[in-house]
Amino acid sequence: SSRWLELHACTPTSLLAALVLYVTACRLRVWCGEALFCGSTQQTARKMQPRTLLALLLASACDALVAPARRRPGRVALRAASLEFSKYQGLGNDFLLVDNRDAAAPKATPAQAQRLCDRHFGVGADGVIFVMPGDAAHDFRMTIYNSDGSEPEMCGNGIRCLAAYLGELGAAGAPRGGGEAFTIATGAGPIVPLVLPDGRITVDMGEPVLDGPAVPCALAPTDGARVVDAPLEAAGREYRVTAVSMGNPHSVAFVDDAAAVDLAVTGRAVEVNTAAFPEKVNAEFVDVVDAAHVNMVVWERGCGVTLACGTGACAVAVAGVLTGRTERTCEVMLPGGPLSIEWRKSDNHVYMTGPAEFVFRGTAELA
């Protein structure tokens, strides 16, 4: 009865304070005395400011909501979805490869791919490639998201990495020339990589598109419908560019020293010049060593500076022939290493040969 009289005599503020102190003490496993409303607890509560009481109440309420999920048997905290991948690189152009053969939609969104590609806060890559189910005419379909979340039509280094990854998955291609060939559906049409016995991969990249509006390029044609060595201003300097599409658009500029080009300034200026290239463009800068060897650097649309670009190397070889600078077969030296490119006269197709190497496997949580 004496305890009831003490409780009855308390003000509402004191009662609330005492309750808060009790709940907080319980959460922290602190011993506050032998009874709920002991004298020391009431005295402490009367001295507290209402603002402090409210803060304690909110903290206790939040803890009360969270604690049961931590303590109740059988309750498991929700986890983010995870994504298994293998990382491959082709001359330093690196990609996360995902086995997506069991689903019609990519297992990561463009925004999630962008976070995965971040080299400081993610796994780090130039893009994420999904091996999608094929159809009657294609063994598989390739979907790729760039490091900025955009989706290009195709990627030359990426499709070599995809072909190497198919070996990891145990997929068997059609026997051809001592190797295995796969027919891959892409946004640029069907592409056929051939895995050679020495591990290198030759890719039939198809015919180059040279008609200016089809590249697409809005510069005035200089050779029939072609845009060859046409003037283009970028970062305060005039360049002569040749427009080529290898399923994705390229601007090829021949310069005295490719390594001296400030790609972050000039390359980006060319990429985003939508007055000249309505869908933006991959910007290659090339110096010629001789008719069979060139050096190339690249600013890739949607990626920025990369160590290699397969479709870019193909576009460079085509531009070299169109401008009389190179032969139909040449070695294109990129910062990441060489690619052998042939623009075959017999079928007008461009063939690219180069490596694709496994780096590591992993699992990442998707935010």
Side-chain angles (χ1 to χ4, degrees), residues 164-359:
Y165 180 56
L166 291 177
E168 179 185 331
L169 297 180
R176 184 183 301 177
E180 288 185 299
F182 298 91
T183 301
I184 309 297
T186 75
I191 302 293
V192 182
L194 173 66
V195 182
L196 302 173
D198 64 3
R200 292 182 306 149
I201 298 167
T202 293
V203 183
D204 179 353
M205 302 290 287
E207 298 186 57
V209 175
L210 303 176
D211 182 79
V215 171
C217 176
L219 295 175
T222 58
D223 179 15
R226 300 171 175 176
V227 177
V228 179
D229 269 351
L232 176 70
E233 191 279 331
R237 176 181 167 183
E238 183 177 278
Y239 294 86
R240 295 280 171 169
V241 302
T242 298
V244 179
S245 173
M246 294 303 307
N248 53 356
H250 293 268
S251 164
V252 180
F254 289 91
V255 296
D256 294 332
D257 183 3
V261 176
D262 187 347
L263 290 173
V265 176
T266 306
R268 176 160 178 77
V270 174
E271 179 206 4
V272 300
N273 187 343
T274 52
F277 296 95
E279 295 181 5
K280 298 186 179 181
V281 73
N282 300 282
E284 286 85 30
F285 299 88
V286 190
D287 64 65
V288 178
V289 179
D290 55 45
H293 299 84
V294 299
N295 298 313
M296 164 190 150
V297 295
V298 59
W299 175 275
E300 287 198 53
R301 180 184 62 167
C303 294
V305 177
T306 61
L307 296 178
C309 176
T311 55
C314 293
V316 163
V318 170
V321 173
L322 292 177
T323 61
R325 291 180 168 94
T326 65
E327 299 169 351
R328 282 187 170 265
T329 299
C330 73
E331 181 182 85
V332 180
M333 179 61 70
L334 304 109
L339 285 174
S340 177
I341 310 295
E342 178 190 4
W343 185 14
R344 194 170 295 173
K345 195 171 184 178
S346 61
D347 60 6
N348 200 40
H349 285 215
V350 179
Y351 294 85
M352 169 188 64
T353 300
E357 298 179 353
F358 171 79
V359 182

Side-chain angles (χ1 to χ4, degrees), residues 10 97 151 259:
C10 287
L97 279 294
E151 183 177 355

Side-chain angles (χ1 to χ4, degrees), residues 87 92-96 117 119 124-128 144-148 300 302-303 305-308:
K87 185 170 182 175
N93 201 189
D94 54 346
F95 305 91
L96 307 182
C117 290
R119 297 191 183 277
D126 291 321
V128 181
I144 176 172
Y145 295 144
N146 284 327
S147 58
D148 69 349
E300 287 198 53
C303 294
V305 177
T306 61
L307 296 178

Side-chain angles (χ1 to χ4, degrees), residues 113-124:
Q114 184 177 7
R115 287 191 286 270
L116 288 169
C117 290
D118 190 294
R119 297 191 183 277
H120 299 287
F121 299 100
V123 178

Side-chain angles (χ1 to χ4, degrees), residues 1 9 34-35 49 59 76 82-83 88 92 112 123 126 138 164 167 178 220 256 286 292 304-305 322 342 347:
S1 60
E34 64 176 13
Q49 296 295 321
V76 179
S82 61
L83 183 73
Y88 281 75
Q112 289 169 333
V123 178
D126 291 321
H138 307 91
D256 294 332
V286 190
V305 177
L322 292 177
E342 178 190 4
D347 60 6

